[in-house]
Amino acid sequence: MRSRPIKGQDQQRFGDDPLAVRDTDHYKAEYVTGFVDKWDELIDWKRRYESEGRFFVDQLKERGVREVLDVAAGTGFHSVRLVEEGFDTVSADGSPEMLAKAFHNGMAYGGHILRVVQADWRWLNRDVHGTYDAIICLGNSFTHLFSERDRRKALAEFYAMLKHDGVLIIDQRNYDALLDGKYGNKHTYYYCGEEVSAEPEHVDEGLARFVYRFPDKSEYHLNMFPLRKNYTRRLLREVGFQKVDTYGDFQETHQGEEPDFFIHIAEKAYLREDDLSGNYSAAVRTAREYYNSSDADTFYHTIWGGTDIHVGLYDSPDGDIAEASRRTVERMAGKVEIGPDTQVIDVGAGYGGSARFLARQFGCKVTCLNLSEVENERNREMNREAGLDHLIDVVDGSFEDIPCQDNAFDVVWSQDAFLHSGDRPRVLEEVARVLRTGGDFVFTDPMASDAATQDALRPILDRLHLDSMGTPGFYDKQTARLGMSKVEFDDLTEQLPRHYGRVLAETESRESELTGKISEAYLTRMKTGLRNWVHGGESGSLAWGILHYKS
């Protein structure tokens, strides 16, 4: 496992056991002169320029950015690109060899005199002065930080150096795929040199050791920490960033093959309370636009009856959809103790049918949190008509950022909503935050089975504009991480294809009634989607049921 012997100043030193080198400061010894000289050969500026297109430039210009701090300048690729695009750019790096090469490249590519500063991210405010509209940390550089403390310290420094509405763009290799055995570097993005290979030589949860092989038979190594995507997103939120969107290989949703890289765009600005939708993630924004559409509202209000929008429990294949939906609510309610003093939040409440059942049946107070303003208005109107508006509060918002205080609820309830999130760990963290000690978390969610393959799920994911679904195992693992204990999984998977088959049959039988009220394109997509749900459920790729955990 030792590096190929290289003489003199070109020699990388990892000691007797390279796999034991897990220290943040070691990167300075890894970027030796010989490796730095070959870095541009590895990257291939021309191919990288073509693969990235205007992605980063457009992201910055859309946000009105003028002043940029490139904290991982490397040999200067992005710094030169930004200067050419008119950005006021400062180039920082921890490696003096990299900065020297960057300065040289600035002169060679257009005669640009780069403003370079050697800086350690953990003390960035000491080494670099001023505040910036944007900070970029690209080229898989954040992976050089090996300790939790170093990562948090660096992000705090980035945050502090951004203006009040600043943005941080940070990328990372897809270590999830590497750790989970799905890695396949297509050499399409970032490291683009055709004659250079960059391959993992060793990987565990604490180290990804890559070997770089060049045409002259020389080899170099980098030891990096394998950051998981959602871990990085969580760190960004915890340091204070208000909105984090993640792209896979420059695409907002990264369906199909596993992306080589993830790009996180983290925004610092706090929005007004009446404009919180601006902080919604890409997946949540997609769901909100869908459920706010006239087509979707008319469909669900007509086919489901405008009370519930979730999977039902059927006694027979041709059972009534509304009655089946109500059976699900009754079965869920039977699993928890609810009384007049119980505080319940229904997360992803839709039209509020479950909330009205609970308020009427038990006299409890229910908060309905839902992202569709159209559905929420129907919910409020029906609550008034039922004389239950004094017990039910309808709140516009996202389950990825629940606008309620900590420990506010005895029961967190949800039905078939979490699949719309692109950050389910974040949703569960929010659930744990607002749930009181000893409280109940009871929900349903259309899930992938624990053994499902990505190919089998692809038609469903494409329809929902998502890159993944939860699984029973995922929810067990994440709730345990958050200190919840599992009560049961009431496995009712057979009801999933039955329900969607019933909705499909109802849609087809009433299609003439829907003509003129719903677009033909919507109905065509809906019928295709329903058939995919039926096939997925019958093939064993999907799971569904009532999950119950206690805090």
Side-chain angles (χ1 to χ4, degrees), residues 99-239:
L99 285 176
K101 185 69 171 179
F103 188 85
H104 170 79
N105 282 339
M107 295 297 294
Y109 291 88
H112 303 294
I113 300 176
L114 297 184
R115 290 185 289 163
V116 298
V117 182
Q118 185 177 352
D120 188 309
W121 298 338
R122 295 165 294 183
W123 296 277
L124 193 63
N125 285 264
R126 177 197 66 187
D127 299 334
V128 182
H129 303 293
T131 56
Y132 296 83
D133 301 313
I135 292 176
I136 62 171
C137 181
L138 303 177
N140 196 41
S141 301
F142 199 66
T143 195
H144 288 303
L145 300 176
F146 272 88
S147 79
E148 176 88 1
R149 182 177 184 276
D150 287 342
R151 287 187 285 272
R152 291 183 180 275
K153 180 71 165 67
L155 288 178
E157 292 285 306
F158 295 167
Y159 187 90
M161 293 199 71
L162 285 170
K163 295 177 182 177
H164 73 282
D165 58 351
V167 60
L168 169 66
I169 303 181
I170 185 170
D171 72 7
Q172 64 174 95
R173 190 180 291 278
N174 182 355
Y175 290 108
D176 290 86
L178 185 61
L179 291 166
D180 297 337
K182 303 174 184 176
Y183 177 79
N185 188 351
K186 303 184 292 295
H187 294 281
T188 304
Y189 302 102
Y190 286 84
Y191 299 120
C192 304
E194 289 286 358
E195 304 300 322
V196 183
S197 68
E199 298 174 341
E201 190 175 63
H202 171 86
V203 62
D204 60 49
E205 289 288 342
L207 175 68
R209 179 173 170 81
F210 272 72
V211 56
Y212 299 83
R213 297 186 175 94
F214 293 86
D216 63 1
K217 307 302 181 183
S218 62
E219 294 182 5
Y220 295 88
H221 292 78
L222 289 178
N223 282 10
M224 298 170 282
F225 184 85
L227 298 160
R228 286 193 176 271
K229 178 186 73 172
N230 284 326
Y231 167 78
T232 304
R233 289 173 55 87
R234 176 164 59 83
L235 287 185
L236 289 165
R237 289 193 306 268
E238 289 177 355
V239 82

Side-chain angles (χ1 to χ4, degrees), residues 311-329:
V311 176
L313 301 179
Y314 294 81
D315 295 331
S316 62
D318 58 351
D320 181 78
I321 294 173
E323 291 179 4
S325 298
R326 181 48 47 88
R327 289 192 196 98
T328 304
V329 177

Side-chain angles (χ1 to χ4, degrees), residues 221-425:
H221 292 78
L222 289 178
N223 282 10
M224 298 170 282
F225 184 85
L227 298 160
R228 286 193 176 271
K229 178 186 73 172
N230 284 326
Y231 167 78
T232 304
R233 289 173 55 87
R234 176 164 59 83
L235 287 185
L236 289 165
R237 289 193 306 268
E238 289 177 355
V239 82
F241 288 100
Q242 296 300 293
K243 177 184 177 183
V244 181
D245 273 331
T246 299
Y247 296 73
D249 288 344
F250 313 111
Q251 302 299 316
E252 196 164 20
T253 56
H254 33 85
Q255 302 165 18
E257 295 183 26
E258 286 282 347
D260 284 343
F261 270 70
F262 293 118
I263 302 105
H264 308 288
I265 301 181
E267 300 188 30
K268 182 175 180 178
Y270 276 72
L271 299 181
R272 301 188 313 271
E273 289 189 9
D274 60 355
D275 192 26
L276 291 179
S277 63
N279 277 343
Y280 290 173
S281 68
V284 170
R285 288 198 305 272
T286 298
R288 175 176 176 252
E289 291 169 3
Y290 171 77
Y291 284 108
N292 271 340
S293 70
S294 174
D295 280 344
D297 182 56
T298 302
F299 178 82
Y300 291 112
H301 195 259
T302 302
I303 299 300
W304 257 285
T307 297
D308 300 292
I309 312 175
H310 54 75
V311 176
L313 301 179
Y314 294 81
D315 295 331
S316 62
D318 58 351
D320 181 78
I321 294 173
E323 291 179 4
S325 298
R326 181 48 47 88
R327 289 192 196 98
T328 304
V329 177
E330 293 170 346
R331 185 155 178 156
M332 290 176 66
K335 296 181 181 297
V336 295
E337 293 185 10
I338 302 177
D341 295 329
T342 305
Q343 296 283 340
V344 181
I345 183 170
D346 185 354
V347 180
Y351 292 119
S354 300
R356 283 187 291 279
F357 173 86
L358 296 174
R360 184 184 296 112
Q361 187 78 8
F362 303 105
C364 60
K365 290 189 175 181
V366 185
T367 297
C368 289
L369 178 69
N370 196 52
L371 53 78
S372 168
E373 294 86 356
V374 172
E375 291 177 349
N376 290 346
E377 279 306 308
R378 287 192 184 272
N379 188 355
R380 294 183 183 103
E381 182 180 347
M382 286 187 281
N383 294 339
R384 288 191 293 270
E385 292 174 352
L388 295 170
D389 53 315
H390 65 294
L391 292 175
I392 302 174
D393 184 25
V394 181
V395 177
D396 299 338
S398 165
F399 42 39
E400 292 180 358
D401 191 10
I402 299 175
C404 301
Q405 67 184 30
D406 296 1
N407 308 310
F409 300 100
D410 303 295
V411 176
V412 176
W413 176 293
S414 184
Q415 289 178 263
D416 304 338
F418 295 156
L419 78 161
H420 290 298
S421 172
D423 192 355
R424 292 179 202 92

